[in-house]
Each structure stands twice: as structure tokens, then as C-alpha cells.
Amino acid sequence: MTASSDKEKPKVLYIPWANPIHDPQAWKTLNENFDLIYYDCETPEEWIEENSKPDGGKYAGIRAICRSTWLKGQPYLNHFLFRGEAVKYIPDTVEIIVQSGHGYDIVDVPYLTSKDIIFCNSPNTCSVATADVGTYLVMQSFRYLTYAENCVRKGNYYDAWPLTYWGANPRGHTLGVIGLGNIGFLTAKACKALGMNIVYHGRSRKLDYENEIEGLTFYSDLNEMLKVTDCIYIACPYSEATRHLINFERFKHMKDQVRLVNVARGPIVEQEAVIDALERGQLVGAGFDVHEFEPKIDPRLLDNYKITLLPHIGVSSRSSFEAFEAKCVDNLMKHFYGGGKPEAVNIELLK
Amino acid sequence: MTASSDKEKPKVLYIPWANPIHDPQAWKTLNENFDLIYYDCETPEEWIEENSKPDGGKYAGIRAICRSTWLKGQPYLNHFLFRGEAVKYIPDTVEIIVQSGHGYDIVDVPYLTSKDIIFCNSPNTCSVATADVGTYLVMQSFRYLTYAENCVRKGNYYDAWPLTYWGANPRGHTLGVIGLGNIGFLTAKACKALGMNIVYHGRSRKLDYENEIEGLTFYSDLNEMLKVTDCIYIACPYSEATRHLINFERFKHMKDQVRLVNVARGPIVEQEAVIDALERGQLVGAGFDVHEFEPKIDPRLLDNYKITLLPHIGVSSRSSFEAFEAKCVDNLMKHFYGGGKPEAVNIELLK
């Protein structure tokens, strides 16, 4: 924490988006307590160039960067400023970066830590929105309702009859959660209310959750869990360890008819293995909010209504964006004006 | 019940469909215990003609009619044999009619009763499937996810950004159930798990349900309930009393921003009032599995992704069709071979 008087409001670089949604209170707090400079580089290269100027360029003296807006919102969608070459050009004056969202795989946290820059994501601000989309995709992996909707919209009201064959009730089936964090738990609870049994795999048992969901069962061995799972639900963080966690080999441990939902990160699932399992008839339903090569999706999936395809919009509800802003502003306020420590990923810097 | 020996198996007119799904045990029982005659009229007019023949035609002597298949399945989709002119030509020998599905608005039950014909629907066999679609539509009325899916399928991955504005979490909002029967209760339970508050309106309080869902609150006055409701959920039976239950006048009692889901019967909701409320911005989301003039849907709705449109397929899961057959066969067995009374709509005939 650095004391800040009213006269010298900390300069904050604010990265806007085309469709602002604000939490009224947080937005007011941000504007009243900080000197906001709006990011406006045309390209990430311009960012590097600007910050390399002898006088520090137009962002000279910024003490924080606030990207509380949607990471996938235009116009700065492809401006990955916190990794690769770009991260090295963050001005030395920056003390803290606050960012929307739960995942931060587009951020080079070790580098930021090496430069003593605190990095805060916005955990648990979008868990409900993402978990709801997860529940939706579980349902879809059993019922394939967008196939029916597509028939209606095209004027073919009675063409949805294949659903009488394809469709199954989630009830009585087993959901196997990989990564039972906040998001996985919320989805598990909703699926339990739909009559599903819930099992989970992860690094550790979650006794609190086990107390809240009747019959919730832990499997330390993923392959053992797959043997009893009807619908696999991926909600774990992405890392080198979880890359291609679901691959060709893994399908050998699954049931003859299995469903798969991914709301975490695309590369956790090997797309080719999915296409193979679909073609072999083992994968009978799936729901993906994230994709290995997003925004590119294999054409073999694009016309297949056994898979529900969403464009990484688990987070997309107004309440998520309002909560992101509130969380980011709260972290900035704590850092510059006190009242507690910011909720940082590289928490070691705060010790 | 009429005693039946092995030698004289009761003749049953079986109305098939193009895509048979069977409950293995029930199908075996049906074939072993009854002499099945397959319905094969090209038109309902042929049915009338056939049954008017002096010798009784090809369906002479049938003692039951079994339509355990999907009422909306081809090829007999538009053969409404149990109402209008057609019902009057049911052979005098028929004692019982068993039919799939929960609703029976396409059946003239009073006429059947006047002819001493027992009529059995298949209640609670498709409640789970229908309630799940209801839950799905509630979610959709808040999140509009098929809009996003449509963007993906068309190759416009990043065009789903309006959902950041439109989208809201069901959590914290109030679901107002009209008609808290089995289907309404199952949806209410799932929506409760999504964090919604649940209120309901109907002819009577349901204390059993109130004990199962925390905070479940009864409103004897529909308009009073509408005042506190964020998403209206229609799951009541259709009758003259519920026709246009949701109409222009009713919208005056609703919140400024309201959502509407209908999984019961189309004409309960006046389509013109829906279109008007959408255009005025009061109706911000909706999900319809049924439609006032189905299969015709107003073109003003067909391109509007704030409304999720399904082709009356709430029931469409294999388990529903298996359960229909099991229920229908069970009712036939009870009537002809004993072991209890069939579960009839016109229960007065069984006294």
C-alpha cells in the first residue's frame, strides 16, 4: 500500500472495450480516486513503441493497469499486453495490474512477480454465470435442444423427431467433475437437482462440498472415475499438466456411450480425439464453451448438433461484468488507499 | 376387468409410428397378451369409412386402442381419432383407450365417458423430460445462449458480444410458477438450485412441495404474484379457463422487465400480447416449447433470439417413450387381466 493524497491521484491505465457495462458504485469510485488514462494503441506493437520512448510516452507514470472489461471484447481483444514481448514493456512505475475473469492463462505471472508487480484476477465474480452455462451444456449433451430450435427457425417444425432417439434424461446418470472448485461445485449442485449422481476427481478431496451434495464421491484416479461416468465435466485450471488431459488414450477408459462438457480451457481436450470418438459413436453428446484452437473450430464439428458449441461466453451476463469492475476497483482501492490487501495471484509479493 | 383366456387374446388396435422405440419388457408383454392389429388408415376419413362398414371393417371386434407412441410422430400425426367426427366411429366393442403423454386436450373425454370407454393418459411418465426442458428454457430466457451458438455455427465466433448486455444470471431472480404440479415442481427444484426464489399460483396450496423447497410461496391471486415475478413459468393444464391466461391485460400487472416460459399448451399465452410486449421492451426474454398456432409461428418471432423456440418436444427423450409404452401396457394388462385398476382420466367409470 502506498499513501495517496487527493492532490496526487494515482495514474491508472484503463483498457476500455466497445460496450461498456459498469457497476455504478465501482465506476464512480474508480473515476473519483484515480487519474484514468485510456489505452488507445492500434496494435500491441504500438504499445511496445510507445513505452520505449525516452520520455516514457503517453503512458509515462502510470502506477496501475486496470483491465476490468471483457478480455474478449473489442477493440483490444488481441492485445495481449501481459505476456510475451509486450509484458516486458510495462512501465517500471506500474505496481499493480487488475484484470477481469477467473482464468489468467494469457498472463505471464512469473515475469510480473519478478518485476514486483502485483497481479489480481477476479476470482468467483463470474463463477455463477460460468457454472450456469456448464449446467446448460450438460443438459444439452443429453437433450440436443438446439437441433430442435434450428428446425423451428428454418421453418421445419416437425423435423426434430430424431431427438426422440437421441434424447436422454440427465436423471439417473452420473456426472464426473474434473476440478471441483467454485464453478464445478455450482454445476454439480444444479445437476444433483436434475437427479444426477455426482463424482469428482482433483488434486484433493473437498469435504465441505461432500457435506453439501449427497453421495458426492471422490476419485483420486481419473481413469477409475471415467469408468463410472456418463458425462465428464471439465472445470479445472489449464496448465501444462492438464493440456490434453482428455486425449485418445483417455477415451479407452470411458464408457461405451459417454458425454463430455468443457467450460474450462480448450486445450485441456484434444480436438482430434473428440472427433474420433464422435465418429466411432462412443461420444454421443458434448458441450463446449471453449475449444482447442478457438476461435477456429474444426468444420467436422460445425454442422454436428450432437455437440453444442459456444464461443467462450460462459461469463456473459451483466452481473459478471459489474462484478469484475467491482472486484478490480476494490483491489486498486486496497492497494493505493488501504483497508486490506488486494486479492492477488502472486500473493507472495504482499508478504 | 374382463376375464381373458389364452385362447382368446383381446384384440387391440395399435397405432404405430415411423420410429419405434420400445420398452423391451412392455413390448414383449403387449405382444404376448394381445392380438395386435396395426392401424393403417391413410386419412382420418378412411377410419370413419372403415368403421361404418356393415361388417365392421378391418378393425371389427377390437376391445382396446393403444396409442403408446409419440402423438406428434409420423405418419399419423394428424389423425385425431379421439375427438370430433372421428371419435363417434370408434367401434362399440372398444372398452379402453390408452395413450402416451401427459396432456389430453386432443381427446373428447366426456364423449368417451358417455360411451363407457375408459380413457388412460400416461401421467408422470414424461414429467422429468418436460421439466428439464422447462429448466432449460428458464435458463435461456436469461442467457440467450442459442444466439451465441448460431454465431459459432455461422463462423462468426466473435459476434456474440451482445450477450454481455442481454445476459443475466437466474440467481437472485424470482420464478413464478403457474400450475405447480409434478412438472412445475421439478423445474422449481432445479431453478432453486440455480439460486432462484420460487413463488407459485394455482387452484390450491401444495404443502408437500412447500416443505421441499425453502421459501416456496403461494399466491392465490395471479396478478399479485406477477408483481414479484421475474420469470413466469407456465405448467398448468389447458382448458377454456386457462386459454389466454397471459394476455394484453395481464402484462399490465407484470414487472417492467419480465421473462416468460411456456411448456404447457400454446393457447394459454396470447401470441399477439407476447409480440407487443417484446416490441415495447417489457418482455426481455422468453422460452416456448408450445405455441398458440403451432406448428405455425409468427415470423416476427422466428428471427428473434430473445425467444428460444422449440417444436413441442419437451417430452423427447428415449426414457419418456419407453415409460409411455410401459404405462399404456400396464393399464391394458390391469383392465384385461386384473392386478389393480387402470389409471384412468374418467375414473368415474371404474367405480
Side-chain angles (χ1 to χ4, degrees), chain B residues 1-67:
Chain B
M1 192 195 72
T2 311
S4 307
S5 85
D6 209 51
K7 282 183 185 167
E8 35 156 332
K9 290 182 192 169
K11 272 191 185 173
V12 171
L13 180 65
Y14 177 77
I15 303 179
W17 64 328
N19 320 287
I21 293 171
H22 294 296
D23 176 272
Q25 185 54 51
W27 185 236
K28 190 164 169 270
T29 302
L30 183 68
N31 280 276
E32 282 178 0
N33 292 281
F34 299 95
D35 180 10
L36 295 192
I37 300 174
Y38 280 64
Y39 176 81
D40 63 352
C41 291
E42 300 269 325
T43 61
E45 290 68 33
E46 189 187 329
W47 159 260
I48 290 173
E49 204 178 299
E50 190 64 34
N51 292 343
S52 305
K53 288 181 178 169
D55 67 350
K58 56 189 172 187
Y59 306 134
I62 57 168
R63 295 175 61 192
I65 303 176
C66 176
R67 190 167 193 169

Side-chain angles (χ1 to χ4, degrees), chain A residues 217-244:
Chain A
T217 306
F218 177 66
Y219 283 80
S220 58
D221 185 297
L222 175 54
N223 290 342
E224 287 301 313
M225 184 185 84
L226 294 180
K227 280 185 197 163
V228 301
T229 296
D230 297 302
C231 181
I232 301 159
Y233 184 77
I234 300 171
C236 60
Y238 175 60
S239 68
E240 268 312 305
T242 59
R243 181 170 181 275
H244 284 193

Side-chain angles (χ1 to χ4, degrees), chain B residues 24-301:
Chain B
Q25 185 54 51
W27 185 236
K28 190 164 169 270
T29 302
L30 183 68
N31 280 276
E32 282 178 0
N33 292 281
F34 299 95
D35 180 10
L36 295 192
I37 300 174
Y38 280 64
Y39 176 81
D40 63 352
C41 291
E42 300 269 325
T43 61
E45 290 68 33
E46 189 187 329
W47 159 260
I48 290 173
E49 204 178 299
E50 190 64 34
N51 292 343
S52 305
K53 288 181 178 169
D55 67 350
K58 56 189 172 187
Y59 306 134
I62 57 168
R63 295 175 61 192
I65 303 176
C66 176
R67 190 167 193 169
S68 53
T69 50
W70 194 25
L71 299 179
K72 273 177 293 299
Q74 295 291 7
Y76 302 120
L77 167 64
N78 292 313
H79 291 222
F80 300 105
L81 305 183
F82 309 146
R83 74 175 186 196
E85 272 303 288
V87 73
K88 299 177 188 158
Y89 291 85
I90 290 176
D92 288 344
T93 48
V94 170
E95 300 161 29
I96 181 170
I97 294 173
V98 294
Q99 180 176 285
S100 65
H102 199 103
Y104 47 88
D105 49 314
I106 59 168
V107 179
D108 186 346
V109 177
Y111 180 85
L112 294 179
T113 307
S114 77
K115 293 288 171 183
D116 277 338
I117 299 173
I118 297 166
F119 174 75
C120 303
N121 63 337
S122 308
N124 303 335
T125 41
C126 59
S127 299
V128 170
T130 306
D132 284 353
V133 166
T135 304
Y136 167 90
L137 290 173
V138 170
M139 174 94 77
Q140 284 288 65
S141 76
F142 283 90
R143 298 295 298 271
Y144 320 96
L145 296 169
T146 45
Y147 177 82
E149 182 166 1
N150 197 42
C151 292
V152 176
R153 301 238 187 236
K154 286 187 172 163
N156 307 319
Y157 196 87
Y158 289 116
D159 281 4
W161 59 264
L163 293 194
T164 57
Y165 276 126
W166 300 2
N169 297 343
R171 181 168 297 260
H173 289 90
T174 297
L175 185 77
V177 179
I178 300 178
L180 191 71
N182 210 2
I183 291 171
F185 171 69
L186 287 168
T187 298
K189 227 174 138 181
C191 289
K192 182 74 186 175
L194 294 174
M196 298 186 79
N197 312 309
I198 320 287
V199 297
Y200 72 106
H201 164 76
R203 280 169 301 186
S204 59
R205 271 187 80 172
K206 303 285 176 82
L207 293 173
D208 282 0
Y209 291 154
E210 288 186 22
N211 288 333
E212 284 205 54
I213 297 180
E214 196 194 322
L216 180 63
T217 306
F218 177 66
Y219 283 79
S220 58
D221 185 299
L222 175 54
N223 290 341
E224 287 301 312
M225 184 184 84
L226 294 180
K227 279 185 198 164
V228 302
T229 296
D230 297 302
C231 181
I232 301 159
Y233 185 76
I234 300 171
C236 60
Y238 175 60
S239 68
E240 269 312 305
T242 59
R243 180 169 182 275
H244 284 193
L245 186 68
I246 302 298
N247 54 20
F248 281 91
E249 170 62 23
R250 203 68 78 176
F251 271 97
K252 295 179 187 161
H253 299 274
M254 298 179 197
K255 288 191 175 185
D256 289 345
Q257 292 213 331
V258 71
R259 293 168 163 90
L260 175 64
V261 169
N262 187 3
V263 292
R265 283 294 182 266
I268 297 172
V269 175
E270 186 177 7
Q271 188 176 266
E272 275 303 324
V274 161
I275 292 167
D276 176 67
L278 267 172
E279 286 173 353
R280 287 186 293 103
Q282 185 184 10
L283 187 66
V284 295
F288 297 137
D289 186 37
V290 292
H291 314 274
E292 186 173 6
F293 306 109
E294 66 186 66
K296 226 184 127 203
I297 294 173
D298 193 285
R300 287 167 289 178
L301 300 182

Side-chain angles (χ1 to χ4, degrees), chain A residues 143 153 167 169 307 314 317-318, chain B residues 143 153 167 169 307 314 317:
Chain A
R143 298 296 297 271
R153 301 237 187 237
N169 297 343
I307 307 192
S317 90
R318 288 190 76 93
Chain B
R143 298 295 298 271
R153 301 238 187 236
N169 297 343
I307 307 192
S317 90

Side-chain angles (χ1 to χ4, degrees), chain A residues 17-21 70 72 74 77-78 125 128-133 135-136 139-140 143 145-146 148-158 160-161 163-171 186 189-190 193-194 289-291 294-297 301-321, chain B residues 17-21 70 72 74 77-78 125 128-133 135-136 139-140 143 145-146 148-158 160-161 163-171 186 189-190 193-194 289-291 294-297 301-321:
Chain A
W17 64 330
N19 320 288
I21 293 171
W70 195 25
K72 273 178 292 300
Q74 295 291 8
L77 167 63
N78 293 313
T125 41
V128 170
T130 306
D132 284 353
V133 166
T135 304
Y136 167 90
M139 174 93 78
Q140 285 287 61
R143 298 296 297 271
L145 296 169
T146 45
E149 182 167 1
N150 198 41
C151 292
V152 176
R153 301 237 187 237
K154 285 187 172 162
N156 307 319
Y157 196 87
Y158 289 116
W161 61 264
L163 293 193
T164 57
Y165 276 126
W166 300 2
N169 297 343
R171 181 168 297 260
L186 287 168
K189 228 174 138 182
L194 294 175
D289 186 37
V290 292
H291 314 274
E294 65 186 67
K296 226 184 127 201
I297 294 173
L301 299 182
L302 277 182
D303 283 330
N304 190 328
Y305 279 89
K306 291 214 171 160
I307 307 192
T308 301
L309 300 165
L310 293 179
H312 203 151
I313 45 81
V315 76
S316 285
S317 90
R318 288 190 76 93
S319 27
S320 298
F321 297 101
Chain B
W17 64 328
N19 320 287
I21 293 171
W70 194 25
K72 273 177 293 299
Q74 295 291 7
L77 167 64
N78 292 313
T125 41
V128 170
T130 306
D132 284 353
V133 166
T135 304
Y136 167 90
M139 174 94 77
Q140 284 288 65
R143 298 295 298 271
L145 296 169
T146 45
E149 182 166 1
N150 197 42
C151 292
V152 176
R153 301 238 187 236
K154 286 187 172 163
N156 307 319
Y157 196 87
Y158 289 116
W161 59 264
L163 293 194
T164 57
Y165 276 126
W166 300 2
N169 297 343
R171 181 168 297 260
L186 287 168
K189 227 174 138 181
L194 294 174
D289 186 37
V290 292
H291 314 274
E294 66 186 66
K296 226 184 127 203
I297 294 173
L301 300 182
L302 277 182
D303 283 330
N304 190 328
Y305 278 89
K306 291 215 171 159
I307 307 192
T308 301
L309 300 166
L310 293 178
H312 203 151
I313 45 80
V315 76
S316 285
S317 90
R318 288 190 76 93
S319 27
S320 298
F321 297 101

